[in-house]
Amino acid sequence: QEGDIVRRIDSDQAQAASTLKFEDPEQSRVAFTDRSMLLERLGVDVNFGIVADQTADTASFIYPRALGTTAEGAAARVAAAVEGERGHVLSTLKHFPGHGAMPGDSHSSIPQSALTLDEWLTGHAVPFRAGIDAGAEMVMLGHLLFPAIDSEPASLSAVWNGILRDQLGFDGIIITDDMRMLQDSGNPDYSDAALNAVAALRAGATMLLYVLPTNPQAIGADPDRIIDTITEAVLGGTIEESTIDDAALRLLTVRRELSGETSAWHK
């Protein structure tokens, strides 16, 4: 629920990025407070709603949804949006490492950027760092490729998971963007949904996101096959069991906190 063009709940009339990017950051805090309170009233406790990408290119796919045209401007509004959502929903920053760094649309391709790590750290990393420092509980990995940094898109990259954890200090939940998008990119390397899932978990993702039709088998994204393939990967040692344990513990801890439960863990 970003608002504006990415709005699932029509009654959300709070300002969105298309106007907030030109406003004082306080307006972002107000808008995301209102938005998150609406979601809370409807029983929603997680919002994939804070676009931490930044770009000044009006032709960019992500421009209408980005909260700033500069790293510093986006950072201030992203942090304010996280502050606005606090206590109402869990905040998600997207699309890490930054869709604004490149042309193209990750719904139908795997966009690429020639940025080096040092260049990224001084630019597109800044809004994500600000959102993390403000307390965002989740970060969404984009299907975005930075060949100078890693040969895999961020959603399948142990390198980018490591940068997020170690250099930006994020200790929360890492979720991928919709995994179907990898198949829709047309890149034959990512045509197998189950193998993509294994790669994402092996790289360090806590959760995998799927937006599936009624008949997912028709698009080659059968959940049963995906689960079976992940299980086989764990049993065969392709994915360390400790990786699954870590992801499960992070998610169980958050679910417990959301439930309001304060008693001791049951054994």
Side-chain angles (χ1 to χ4, degrees), residues 160-252:
W160 279 112
N161 275 272
I163 291 169
L164 180 55
R165 294 287 190 209
D166 301 333
Q167 297 202 38
L168 270 62
F170 181 64
D171 194 40
I173 293 170
I174 298 175
I175 186 167
T176 67
D177 205 343
D178 180 8
M179 292 292 287
R180 279 185 58 197
M181 293 160 61
L182 285 167
Q183 293 169 276
D184 292 342
S185 72
N187 187 320
D189 292 340
Y190 309 117
S191 61
D192 189 312
L195 295 182
N196 291 340
V198 169
L201 292 174
R202 188 180 183 187
T206 318
M207 296 180 71
L208 309 181
L209 175 63
Y210 291 88
V211 181
L212 297 175
T214 304
N215 180 20
Q217 295 82 359
I219 61 166
D222 179 4
D224 290 335
R225 177 174 174 265
I226 292 170
I227 292 168
D228 289 344
T229 303
I230 292 170
T231 301
E232 292 167 3
V234 175
L235 295 176
T238 302
I239 299 176
E240 295 290 337
E241 190 169 345
S242 60
T243 298
I244 301 298
D245 289 344
D246 176 73
L249 180 59
R250 289 179 192 273
L251 293 170
L252 287 169

Side-chain angles (χ1 to χ4, degrees), residues 25-38 40 47 50 76-91 134:
E26 173 63 13
Q27 292 302 111
S28 292
R29 187 192 65 77
V30 171
F32 279 86
T33 297
D34 292 345
R35 180 164 293 118
S36 61
M37 290 177 67
L38 169 63
E40 184 180 32
N47 186 25
I50 300 178
R77 295 180 186 91
V78 166
V82 173
E83 292 165 4
E85 290 190 333
R86 182 172 298 124
H88 304 294
V89 296
L90 302 186
S91 297

Side-chain angles (χ1 to χ4, degrees), residues 111-149:
Q112 297 190 30
S113 168
L115 289 178
T116 65
L117 180 58
D118 287 343
E119 290 170 332
W120 176 81
L121 283 168
T122 59
H124 294 273
V126 175
F128 288 97
R129 189 187 295 277
I132 290 167
D133 291 346
E137 296 89 352
M138 301 178 70
V139 172
M140 180 182 289
L141 298 182
H143 307 303
L144 307 170
L145 184 62
F146 292 72
I149 300 171

Side-chain angles (χ1 to χ4, degrees), residues 2 17 21 48-57 60-78 92-102 104 106-107 120 123-129 131 139-144 146 177:
E2 300 172 18
K21 61 165 54 76
F48 302 148
I50 300 178
V51 177
D53 308 304
Q54 59 91 8
T55 180
D57 180 5
S60 170
F61 155 77
I62 207 67
Y63 176 82
R65 300 165 56 192
L67 281 166
T69 58
T70 65
E72 293 73 20
R77 295 180 186 91
V78 166
T92 308
L93 310 177
K94 60 185 187 181
H95 307 79
F96 185 85
H99 211 309
M102 59 204 47
S106 58
H107 290 88
W120 176 81
H124 294 273
V126 175
F128 288 97
R129 189 187 295 277
V139 172
M140 180 182 289
L141 298 182
H143 307 303
L144 307 170
F146 292 72
D177 205 343

